[in-house]
Amino acid sequence: QVQLVESGGTLVQAGGSLRLSCVASGFDFSTYAMNWYRHSLGKERELVAGISSLGQNTNYADSVKGRFAISRDNTRNMVYLQMNSLKPEDTAIYYCNVFYRAKEYWGKGTLVTVSS
């Protein structure tokens, strides 16, 4: 069974940095693109970043370009989100995601709170 487990969320001050991690299991990790989404109160869930199966290609929401970086380690079934220059509007629950065999899978999320 597919499992995604996020970690790394915490309370940070504006301008600070944080790295989120997601460990995946239950599927052939190295052949699937991985994504980070976030969901904050009053807003719809949004795609933050995506990375292709071998890490060759990445994409980012306009709001985080230049500040966030997604990466992966296929030897460890890990995907990361490095977040720099954090802003209060980055406050959200961050979710690891994979589209696998016609179904979306999600972790339970990790909360990032950015104080001003």
Side-chain angles (χ1 to χ4, degrees):
Q1 66 280 13
V2 174
Q3 287 188 314
L4 304 170
V5 182
E6 305 95 337
S7 62
T10 190
L11 171 66
V12 298
Q13 292 183 331
S17 296
L18 198 62
R19 189 175 82 155
L20 306 183
S21 299
C22 172
V23 60
S25 61
F27 65 102
D28 191 0
F29 180 80
S30 65
T31 67
Y32 285 86
M34 298 295 296
N35 308 291
W36 284 98
Y37 283 79
R38 66 186 181 188
H39 191 193
S40 59
L41 288 175
K43 298 181 65 178
E44 294 297 311
R45 182 189 64 211
E46 64 177 339
L47 177 64
V48 176
I51 187 166
S52 59
S53 60
L54 299 181
Q56 321 98 297
N57 303 113
T58 59
N59 60 277
Y60 300 92
D62 288 342
S63 60
V64 307
K65 284 181 179 176
R67 299 189 298 119
F68 290 12
I70 188 171
S71 61
R72 67 192 296 161
D73 182 349
N74 285 348
T75 70
R76 301 176 63 191
N77 284 15
M78 298 285 291
V79 60
Y80 307 96
L81 185 67
Q82 178 66 47
M83 305 185 295
N84 300 321
S85 301
L86 283 161
K87 304 174 180 179
E89 52 262 45
D90 295 319
T91 295
I93 300 174
Y94 285 73
Y95 297 92
C96 186
N97 160 270
V98 62
F99 185 66
Y100 171 69
R101 292 186 174 184
K103 185 177 179 180
E104 296 280 354
Y105 291 88
W106 305 88
K108 292 185 177 180
T110 186
L111 176 63
V112 174
T113 303
V114 185
S115 64
S116 60

